[in-house]
Amino acid sequence: MTQNVYQHQDSKGREENANRARMLISCPDRPGIVAAVSQFLYEKGANILQSDQYTTDPASGMFFMRIAFDLGNLEQNLPALQEDFARIADRFEMRWSVYRAVRRKRLAIFVSREDHCLLELLWQWQAGDLDAEISMVVSNHDDMRGLVESFGIPFHHIPVTPETKAEAERRQLELTAGKVDLVILARYMQIITPKFIEHFTNRIINIHHSFLPAFVGGKPYHQAYDRGVKLIGATAHYVTAELDAGPIIEQDVQRVSHRNNVDELKRMGRHIERIVLARAVKWHIEDRLVVYQNKTVAFI
Amino acid sequence: MTQNVYQHQDSKGREENANRARMLISCPDRPGIVAAVSQFLYEKGANILQSDQYTTDPASGMFFMRIAFDLGNLEQNLPALQEDFARIADRFEMRWSVYRAVRRKRLAIFVSREDHCLLELLWQWQAGDLDAEISMVVSNHDDMRGLVESFGIPFHHIPVTPETKAEAERRQLELTAGKVDLVILARYMQIITPKFIEHFTNRIINIHHSFLPAFVGGKPYHQAYDRGVKLIGATAHYVTAELDAGPIIEQDVQRVSHRNNVDELKRMGRHIERIVLARAVKWHIEDRLVVYQNKTVAFI
Amino acid sequence: MTQNVYQHQDSKGREENANRARMLISCPDRPGIVAAVSQFLYEKGANILQSDQYTTDPASGMFFMRIAFDLGNLEQNLPALQEDFARIADRFEMRWSVYRAVRRKRLAIFVSREDHCLLELLWQWQAGDLDAEISMVVSNHDDMRGLVESFGIPFHHIPVTPETKAEAERRQLELTAGKVDLVILARYMQIITPKFIEHFTNRIINIHHSFLPAFVGGKPYHQAYDRGVKLIGATAHYVTAELDAGPIIEQDVQRVSHRNNVDELKRMGRHIERIVLARAVKWHIEDRLVVYQNKTVAFI
Amino acid sequence: MTQNVYQHQDSKGREENANRARMLISCPDRPGIVAAVSQFLYEKGANILQSDQYTTDPASGMFFMRIAFDLGNLEQNLPALQEDFARIADRFEMRWSVYRAVRRKRLAIFVSREDHCLLELLWQWQAGDLDAEISMVVSNHDDMRGLVESFGIPFHHIPVTPETKAEAERRQLELTAGKVDLVILARYMQIITPKFIEHFTNRIINIHHSFLPAFVGGKPYHQAYDRGVKLIGATAHYVTAELDAGPIIEQDVQRVSHRNNVDELKRMGRHIERIVLARAVKWHIEDRLVVYQNKTVAFI
């Protein structure tokens, strides 16, 4: 067992969060939603700290809302509040959730042999910048056991071969289903099956490189080099059954030039990938994301 | 008289705006504000299209809100709505305003000899990207008369010398006070007096170059060159009595290198200035900015 | 005839340029090229101001070089210099060109109904930021005649219909072949034929929007909106026979959010297009671009 | 002793580097420099891989050059090459250096209690992205011993108090003088004395936060928050006797909004600091930087 060399720091202001909740709502837009929700929270004694909303189309669109509020004795009072809110939710045909800020999301990070995305998440986590619990790291290789355990995080080596694929998935589900809140594919180079996705709808985040234009086929960095692209990008998205086509959460790019060879493009790609993935994870664990159809409403 | 060679395009969706209003509110934060405002608007039959809010500090801070809403027969119904809202405003000690989207802000652009900021505003305006009325351009030089008049906009040449400064200001106020809603200093190289500022509190936008670090004294581009800065920036801010120290509205930067000589730094500076100023103006005319103490809350 | 309301400013430092030349070289890499070229120029009495080079692969790659130099009485002495340089060029199997900086490139701007790219070029040109001659604007619509002529630039209306396409191209070639150095497609919404491209190999620059990921099929901005992209981009490239697949010159992006509707995405797209196109044109007219295979070496 | 949990990866292509050298030159500009240098290298059998140059002013300015070349049996042949080059250097009054790429720079990282800059360097190093040797980490606190030793790097705890300051500096110099090539102040919160700087002229890199505008006095993040700045930046520079006023190497910024409180601004500041510092270090160890007067010529 490796010694834990990192001193994990709690996120700033966790004690403030004891009575804090975040509510995410989506429903067909019509007059009176904001009034009903805010009046309800006011009568319950909640103090709204932040409220964001968005309407796709005022005429006949969808309405989305995120409310952060403080409520005295939240732990005791939340169940009753939720029960009472159901009436409003029914009236407006809402899909909704409430999350207690103090209840950290449990993360499982899946990784293969590239460590840059994993390391960024571990570092931000130990610095107190990711207010979550990293429950485990799962990998189809054993390479990163020492690193992960040096952070005091459980590491599970689940090899994947064509023969063991079904068994591997069974073990992954056994470890995660009902036990983690978010699965992060931090350069995990195995296909996730529809069955696994089903257990984590809109709760699996993937990262991949992106280019303008996109390059079809293999070796995209070589293609990008051959075409002389000037920007290397990365996209974080929720995983759906269609490969790399799920709702986009975040994107960013870095400038490159003809002087950068394929290895350098890859290095820059790694850099932008870790930044973009960490942002997407942060937004998810702070309950800032609502998925609607194939896009993400990000209250940031 | 110059011929008008530009065909001004109306902004997209102006007809949708006939019944649209935007309300800006600031007041000490306490529970119930959102509920009271949204309930009020709901009872009046208003449909909230967008609502943004921000609290400096949930405990004892200031609360800011921007609401865009549609109300049937807005022109007829707004006065009564405003009268009734006064009760809520009193209760929460609000500073507030309501603007009809269809009522374009009237702009006066002040300019000296550099035309880049003026041109960007004129072109965005004629393209329908700035939903405002450009009432006049005022300059201490006559150089840009032909250009301005080619857009069909009145041009006023008001020379400024030490002797005529007071008289020039009198004429500027005569032209603008009560007649324009926003004064834009688009590289106007004269000091604005406290008296003029008083007539346009938080309604004068200035643009100036910015560097990291800031350079004290004259010839800032030369100093930036000598220090080898890697970023050239611009800051748009509201004008206050203290020179260049008013609330910041927007900032941006452009990357430069040691290869760029002073003239090129200036050229890049001009480019970033026009972009930043146009963004700040756009946000102001869409009622997205609230000034509090020495900062700007920008609901963008 | 419209009055010219713009006062075109000459680029800064044109008088310095009287004896300035720029040489672009590409050849198979091998030892001694830089020594041979710089020794040659030294013996001719030239003063090298800037020299950039790039090698795709030191082992067996291609070598590219851009040299800016001053030579006394350049106009008289350049022909002899070129003649003598041929020996070196032969020895290293070079493709090469020398351009006199004082000899402005002649531009033809092709445009349809969207004016944003045209306007940016006209503005940068009249501000002295594009050191070129705008010989003409060609359009398949007559809308922009007044605007173009207000800059004192000839405007040619050449309508294009399926029936007149061949005749239109004949007139375009008549106007431009041998008479302009660079054709800029500033949102020109007609297909350029291989025959026209042949007359202007690596001398036609096009601009188009770009997304991460790329969207196949029509209405890309609608698709980008539906997928919730976070970045809107533009790509400037040289035109080749394969549509929108020529060597990339420059790319850039602007951040967007779910709050931006399709019209706003288009507006932002227009903004980034004009910036990117103007940069590409500036680099071309300053002889900073070398095309090799399907990529562009940009000495910037 | 902590177990080493990281597997340090060698930089890509180190074996290619065995015969690679980089030459940095600065001298008064005059005709013939490039010819003389490139002819010299050609005659020595060197193959120039990359050559960059820059002239502050063709008339009477300074000339800077960076040449990367391969030379067979570099280790054996370099001393003779240097000896012979001295004639050319004398003729043009050059300041110059030659570095063998295979000879990694030895780094000493100085750190206090904030670990973000240190961690970024350690991780880029272990990923093979920083081609250097991290000889030691020196800190005035013992907090990071475990972390540093987990990378297999020596850690020296040298406390600094007003009483021990002189003795601390003596120990620092004892550890570093003549033994490391570059000192990196990775958020080291102690003043470096002129005596220490003298031992490492243009070989100490510092990182600090930057704002537009700069804020004089204490608590800059609070001031930035109060003014509502829209960009948070960082500057990496060489350390000179004048505090934070040395030649700038690299700068970058990140966008912020009024919603970000002081703690978040600090978090974002940390993020941009680590990126900017790592870039500056990378350029230094690749011999891409030349200091002239108070600016840095960066051949990147």
Side-chain angles (χ1 to χ4, degrees):
Chain A
M1 179 64 192
T2 317
Q3 183 184 340
N4 187 347
V5 297
Y6 290 91
Q7 179 132 18
H8 177 267
Q9 300 166 36
D10 253 13
S11 305
K12 291 256 169 55
R14 280 205 66 77
E15 62 291 351
E16 295 174 13
N17 283 349
N19 288 321
R20 186 152 305 168
R22 303 173 193 131
M23 184 180 261
L24 287 175
I25 294 169
S26 55
C27 64
D29 194 14
R30 62 170 127 138
I33 305 174
V34 178
V37 173
S38 51
Q39 185 64 31
F40 172 85
L41 288 173
Y42 176 58
E43 285 167 7
K44 289 292 177 188
N47 187 20
I48 297 178
L49 306 169
Q50 196 178 336
S51 169
D52 291 289
Q53 59 176 87
Y54 166 66
T55 301
T56 56
D57 179 352
S60 61
M62 283 296 286
F63 172 90
F64 304 92
M65 192 172 197
R66 178 187 188 265
I67 308 173
F69 61 87
D70 277 354
L71 180 67
N73 287 317
L74 182 70
E75 189 166 5
Q76 289 71 41
N77 291 330
L78 190 56
L81 181 141
Q82 287 176 286
E83 201 173 321
D84 293 352
F85 189 75
R87 275 182 309 112
I88 290 176
D90 281 356
R91 180 176 147 210
F92 290 101
E93 301 171 83
M94 289 173 175
R95 297 183 52 195
W96 64 289
S97 317
V98 186
Y99 303 95
R100 291 176 54 208
V102 81
R103 163 79 172 73
R104 284 192 182 104
K105 299 248 185 311
R106 299 160 300 174
L107 316 184
I109 304 176
F110 281 38
V111 67
S112 290
R113 284 210 143 111
E114 290 184 274
D115 62 2
H116 57 285
C117 287
L118 172 64
L119 271 171
E120 182 72 23
L121 294 172
L122 292 178
W123 176 72
Q124 291 207 10
W125 171 77
Q126 68 86 20
D129 289 345
L130 282 186
D131 190 18
E133 181 187 314
I134 302 186
S135 304
M136 71 190 75
V137 172
V138 173
S139 179
N140 53 333
H141 299 284
D142 204 40
D143 312 30
M144 294 185 205
R145 177 180 300 279
L147 168 71
V148 170
E149 292 179 346
S150 79
F151 283 84
I153 296 169
F155 178 88
H156 302 285
H157 176 207
I158 304 182
V160 179
T161 62
E163 296 73 37
T164 66
K165 196 158 174 50
E167 167 62 10
E169 185 193 67
R170 199 194 53 73
R171 286 190 55 203
Q172 290 171 352
L173 277 173
E174 191 177 73
L175 282 167
T176 58
K179 291 166 194 156
V180 304
D181 302 299
L182 178 69
V183 173
I184 301 165
L185 307 182
R187 304 297 294 151
Y188 182 67
M189 307 310 283
Q190 298 287 330
I191 302 285
I192 303 298
T193 65
K195 184 179 165 196
F196 190 93
I197 295 171
E198 208 170 84
H199 280 82
F200 290 96
T201 308
N202 296 335
R203 293 190 298 136
I204 308 174
I205 295 179
N206 186 35
I207 182 75
H208 64 73
H209 45 60
S210 299
F211 304 92
L212 310 84
F215 295 104
V216 182
K219 299 209 166 190
Y221 281 101
H222 286 80
Q223 291 191 60
Y225 174 80
D226 287 342
R227 184 79 195 282
V229 300
K230 307 303 179 192
L231 299 170
I232 291 286
T235 297
H237 65 97
Y238 284 115
V239 173
T240 57
E242 190 183 346
L243 187 66
D244 288 348
I248 293 171
I249 301 171
E250 172 62 337
Q251 303 182 299
D252 213 337
V253 292
Q254 182 165 350
R255 186 158 280 273
V256 300
S257 89
H258 65 269
R259 294 199 185 276
N260 301 117
N261 62 29
V262 173
D263 279 341
E264 286 167 338
L265 295 186
K266 287 180 180 172
R267 182 176 63 76
M268 291 164 148
R270 288 197 301 270
H271 178 76
I272 195 71
E273 280 175 0
R274 63 189 179 116
I275 301 299
V276 168
L277 177 60
R279 276 192 217 140
V281 169
K282 186 173 174 60
W283 297 343
H284 181 99
I285 64 180
E286 294 177 356
D287 305 308
R288 297 183 176 281
L289 304 174
V290 186
V291 173
Y292 171 64
Q293 292 178 348
N294 202 33
K295 69 191 294 182
T296 301
V297 175
F299 290 116
I300 52 173
Chain B
M1 180 62 193
T2 317
Q3 182 183 341
N4 187 348
V5 296
Y6 290 92
Q7 179 132 18
H8 177 267
Q9 300 166 34
D10 254 11
S11 305
K12 293 254 170 54
R14 279 204 67 76
E15 62 291 350
E16 295 174 14
N17 282 349
N19 289 322
R20 186 152 305 168
R22 303 171 193 131
M23 184 180 262
L24 288 175
I25 294 170
S26 55
C27 63
D29 195 13
R30 61 171 126 137
I33 305 174
V34 178
V37 173
S38 51
Q39 186 65 30
F40 172 85
L41 288 173
Y42 177 57
E43 286 167 6
K44 290 291 177 187
N47 186 20
I48 297 178
L49 306 169
Q50 196 177 336
S51 168
D52 291 289
Q53 58 176 87
Y54 166 65
T55 301
T56 57
D57 180 351
S60 61
M62 282 295 288
F63 172 90
F64 303 92
M65 192 173 196
R66 178 187 189 266
I67 308 172
F69 61 86
D70 278 352
L71 179 67
N73 287 317
L74 182 70
E75 190 167 4
Q76 289 71 40
N77 291 330
L78 190 56
L81 180 140
Q82 286 175 286
E83 201 173 323
D84 293 351
F85 189 74
R87 275 181 310 110
I88 290 177
D90 282 354
R91 179 176 148 209
F92 290 101
E93 302 170 82
M94 288 173 176
R95 295 183 55 194
W96 64 289
S97 318
V98 187
Y99 304 95
R100 291 175 53 208
V102 80
R103 163 78 172 73
R104 283 192 183 105
K105 299 249 185 310
R106 298 160 301 173
L107 316 184
I109 304 176
F110 281 37
V111 66
S112 291
R113 282 209 145 111
E114 290 184 274
D115 63 1
H116 56 285
C117 287
L118 171 64
L119 270 171
E120 182 72 23
L121 293 173
L122 292 178
W123 287 350
Q124 290 208 10
W125 170 76
Q126 67 88 20
D129 289 346
L130 284 185
D131 189 18
E133 179 187 315
I134 301 185
S135 303
M136 71 190 74
V137 172
V138 173
S139 179
N140 53 334
H141 299 284
D142 204 40
D143 312 29
M144 295 185 204
R145 178 181 298 279
L147 168 70
V148 171
E149 292 180 347
S150 80
F151 282 84
I153 295 170
F155 178 88
H156 302 284
H157 176 208
I158 305 182
V160 179
T161 65
E163 296 73 36
T164 65
K165 195 155 176 50
E167 166 62 12
E169 187 194 67
R170 200 194 53 72
R171 285 188 56 201
Q172 289 171 353
L173 277 173
E174 192 176 73
L175 280 167
T176 58
K179 291 166 195 157
V180 305
D181 302 298
L182 178 70
V183 173
I184 301 165
L185 307 183
R187 303 298 294 151
Y188 182 66
M189 307 309 282
Q190 299 288 329
I191 301 285
I192 302 298
T193 66
K195 184 177 164 194
F196 190 93
I197 295 171
E198 209 169 82
H199 280 83
F200 290 97
T201 307
N202 297 334
R203 293 190 297 135
I204 308 175
I205 295 179
N206 186 34
I207 182 75
H208 65 73
H209 44 62
S210 299
F211 303 92
L212 307 86
F215 295 103
V216 182
K219 298 207 165 191
Y221 280 103
H222 286 80
Q223 291 191 60
Y225 174 79
D226 287 343
R227 183 81 195 281
V229 301
K230 307 302 179 194
L231 298 170
I232 290 285
T235 297
H237 64 96
Y238 283 116
V239 174
T240 56
E242 191 182 347
L243 187 66
D244 287 349
I248 293 172
I249 301 170
E250 172 63 335
Q251 303 183 299
D252 213 338
V253 291
Q254 182 165 351
R255 186 158 280 272
V256 300
S257 89
H258 66 269
R259 293 199 187 277
N260 301 118
N261 61 30
V262 174
D263 280 341
E264 286 167 337
L265 295 186
K266 287 179 180 172
R267 182 175 65 75
M268 289 164 149
R270 288 197 301 271
H271 179 76
I272 194 72
E273 279 175 1
R274 63 188 178 113
I275 302 299
V276 168
L277 177 61
R279 275 192 218 141
V281 168
K282 186 173 174 62
W283 296 344
H284 180 98
I285 64 180
E286 294 177 357
D287 305 308
R288 297 183 177 279
L289 304 173
V290 186
V291 173
Y292 170 65
Q293 293 179 346
N294 201 34
K295 70 190 294 184
T296 300
V297 175
F299 290 117
I300 52 175
Chain C
M1 179 63 193
T2 317
Q3 181 184 342
N4 187 348
V5 297
Y6 290 90
Q7 178 133 19
H8 177 267
Q9 300 166 34
D10 252 13
S11 306
K12 292 254 169 55
R14 281 203 65 75
E15 63 290 349
E16 295 173 13
N17 283 349
N19 288 321
R20 186 152 304 168
R22 302 171 194 132
M23 184 181 262
L24 288 175
I25 294 169
S26 55
C27 63
D29 195 14
R30 63 171 126 137
I33 304 173
V34 177
V37 173
S38 50
Q39 186 64 30
F40 172 85
L41 288 172
Y42 176 59
E43 286 166 6
K44 289 291 177 187
N47 187 20
I48 297 179
L49 307 169
Q50 197 178 335
S51 168
D52 292 288
Q53 59 178 87
Y54 166 65
T55 302
T56 57
D57 180 351
S60 61
M62 282 295 287
F63 172 89
F64 303 91
M65 192 174 197
R66 177 188 189 266
I67 307 172
F69 60 88
D70 277 354
L71 180 67
N73 287 316
L74 182 69
E75 190 166 4
Q76 289 70 40
N77 292 329
L78 190 55
L81 181 140
Q82 287 177 288
E83 200 172 321
D84 293 350
F85 189 75
R87 274 182 310 113
I88 291 177
D90 281 355
R91 179 176 147 208
F92 290 102
E93 300 171 83
M94 291 174 175
R95 296 183 52 195
W96 64 289
S97 318
V98 187
Y99 304 95
R100 291 176 55 208
V102 81
R103 163 78 171 74
R104 283 191 182 105
K105 299 249 186 311
R106 299 160 299 172
L107 316 184
I109 304 176
F110 281 39
V111 66
S112 289
R113 284 209 143 110
E114 289 185 274
D115 63 1
H116 56 285
C117 287
L118 171 64
L119 271 170
E120 183 72 22
L121 294 172
L122 293 178
W123 176 72
Q124 292 207 10
W125 171 76
Q126 68 87 22
D129 289 346
L130 284 185
D131 189 19
E133 180 188 315
I134 302 186
S135 303
M136 71 191 75
V137 172
V138 173
S139 179
N140 53 333
H141 300 284
D142 204 40
D143 311 31
M144 293 185 207
R145 177 180 298 279
L147 168 70
V148 171
E149 292 180 347
S150 79
F151 282 83
I153 296 170
F155 178 89
H156 301 285
H157 177 207
I158 304 181
V160 178
T161 63
E163 296 74 36
T164 65
K165 197 158 174 46
E167 166 62 10
E169 186 194 65
R170 199 194 53 73
R171 285 190 55 202
Q172 289 171 352
L173 277 174
E174 190 176 73
L175 282 167
T176 57
K179 292 167 192 156
V180 303
D181 302 299
L182 178 69
V183 173
I184 302 164
L185 307 183
R187 304 297 294 151
Y188 182 67
M189 308 308 284
Q190 299 288 328
I191 301 285
I192 302 298
T193 64
K195 183 179 167 194
F196 191 94
I197 295 171
E198 209 169 84
H199 280 84
F200 290 96
T201 307
N202 296 335
R203 293 190 298 136
I204 308 174
I205 295 179
N206 186 34
I207 182 76
H208 64 73
H209 45 59
S210 299
F211 304 92
L212 308 87
F215 296 104
V216 182
K219 299 209 166 190
Y221 280 102
H222 286 81
Q223 291 191 62
Y225 175 80
D226 288 342
R227 184 80 195 281
V229 300
K230 307 303 179 192
L231 298 169
I232 291 286
T235 297
H237 65 97
Y238 284 115
V239 173
T240 55
E242 190 183 346
L243 187 65
D244 288 348
I248 293 171
I249 302 170
E250 171 62 337
Q251 303 184 298
D252 213 339
V253 292
Q254 182 165 352
R255 186 158 281 273
V256 301
S257 89
H258 66 268
R259 293 199 186 279
N260 301 118
N261 61 30
V262 174
D263 279 342
E264 286 167 338
L265 295 186
K266 287 180 181 172
R267 181 175 64 75
M268 291 165 148
R270 288 197 300 270
H271 179 76
I272 195 70
E273 280 174 1
R274 64 188 178 115
I275 302 299
V276 169
L277 177 60
R279 274 192 218 141
V281 168
K282 186 173 175 59
W283 297 343
H284 181 99
I285 65 178
E286 295 177 356
D287 305 308
R288 297 183 177 281
L289 304 173
V290 186
V291 173
Y292 170 64
Q293 290 179 349
N294 202 32
K295 69 190 295 182
T296 301
V297 175
F299 290 116
I300 52 173
Chain D
M1 179 63 193
T2 317
Q3 182 183 342
N4 187 347
V5 296
Y6 290 91
Q7 179 132 18
H8 177 268
Q9 299 166 35
D10 254 12
S11 306
K12 292 253 171 55
R14 279 204 66 76
E15 63 290 351
E16 295 174 12
N17 283 348
N19 288 321
R20 186 153 305 169
R22 303 170 192 133
M23 183 180 262
L24 288 175
I25 295 169
S26 54
C27 64
D29 195 13
R30 62 172 127 137
I33 305 173
V34 178
V37 173
S38 51
Q39 186 65 30
F40 173 85
L41 289 172
Y42 177 58
E43 286 167 5
K44 290 291 177 188
N47 187 20
I48 297 179
L49 306 168
Q50 197 177 336
S51 169
D52 291 289
Q53 59 177 87
Y54 165 66
T55 301
T56 57
D57 180 351
S60 61
M62 283 294 288
F63 173 89
F64 304 92
M65 192 173 196
R66 178 188 188 265
I67 308 172
F69 60 88
D70 277 354
L71 179 68
N73 288 316
L74 183 70
E75 190 167 3
Q76 289 70 40
N77 292 330
L78 190 56
L81 180 140
Q82 286 175 286
E83 200 172 324
D84 294 350
F85 189 74
R87 276 183 308 110
I88 290 177
D90 282 354
R91 178 175 149 210
F92 291 101
E93 300 169 82
M94 289 175 176
R95 296 182 53 194
W96 64 289
S97 319
V98 186
Y99 304 95
R100 292 176 52 209
V102 82
R103 163 77 173 73
R104 283 192 182 106
K105 300 247 184 312
R106 299 159 300 172
L107 315 184
I109 304 176
F110 281 37
V111 67
S112 290
R113 284 208 144 110
E114 290 184 274
D115 63 1
H116 56 284
C117 286
L118 171 65
L119 270 170
E120 182 73 23
L121 293 172
L122 293 177
W123 287 350
Q124 290 208 10
W125 171 76
Q126 67 87 20
D129 288 346
L130 284 186
D131 189 18
E133 179 188 316
I134 301 185
S135 303
M136 70 191 74
V137 172
V138 174
S139 179
N140 53 334
H141 300 283
D142 204 41
D143 312 30
M144 294 185 205
R145 178 180 299 278
L147 168 70
V148 171
E149 292 180 346
S150 80
F151 282 85
I153 295 170
F155 178 88
H156 302 285
H157 176 208
I158 304 181
V160 179
T161 64
E163 295 73 36
T164 65
K165 196 155 175 49
E167 167 62 12
E169 186 193 67
R170 200 194 54 74
R171 287 189 55 202
Q172 289 171 353
L173 277 173
E174 192 176 72
L175 282 167
T176 58
K179 292 167 193 156
V180 306
D181 303 299
L182 178 69
V183 174
I184 302 165
L185 307 183
R187 304 296 295 150
Y188 181 66
M189 307 309 282
Q190 300 288 329
I191 301 285
I192 302 298
T193 65
K195 184 179 165 194
F196 191 94
I197 295 171
E198 210 170 82
H199 280 82
F200 290 97
T201 307
N202 296 334
R203 293 189 298 138
I204 308 175
I205 295 179
N206 186 35
I207 182 76
H208 65 74
H209 44 60
S210 300
F211 304 93
L212 308 86
F215 296 104
V216 182
K219 298 207 165 192
Y221 280 103
H222 286 81
Q223 291 191 61
Y225 174 78
D226 288 342
R227 184 79 196 283
V229 301
K230 307 302 178 194
L231 298 170
I232 291 286
T235 298
H237 65 96
Y238 284 114
V239 173
T240 56
E242 191 183 346
L243 187 66
D244 287 351
I248 293 171
I249 302 170
E250 171 62 336
Q251 304 183 298
D252 213 338
V253 292
Q254 182 164 352
R255 185 158 281 272
V256 300
S257 88
H258 65 269
R259 293 198 188 277
N260 301 117
N261 62 29
V262 173
D263 279 342
E264 287 168 337
L265 295 187
K266 286 180 181 172
R267 181 175 65 75
M268 289 163 149
R270 288 196 300 271
H271 178 76
I272 194 72
E273 279 175 1
R274 63 188 178 113
I275 302 299
V276 168
L277 177 61
R279 274 191 219 141
V281 169
K282 186 173 175 61
W283 296 343
H284 181 99
I285 64 180
E286 294 177 357
D287 305 309
R288 297 183 177 279
L289 303 174
V290 186
V291 173
Y292 171 64
Q293 291 179 348
N294 201 34
K295 70 190 295 182
T296 301
V297 175
F299 290 116
I300 52 174

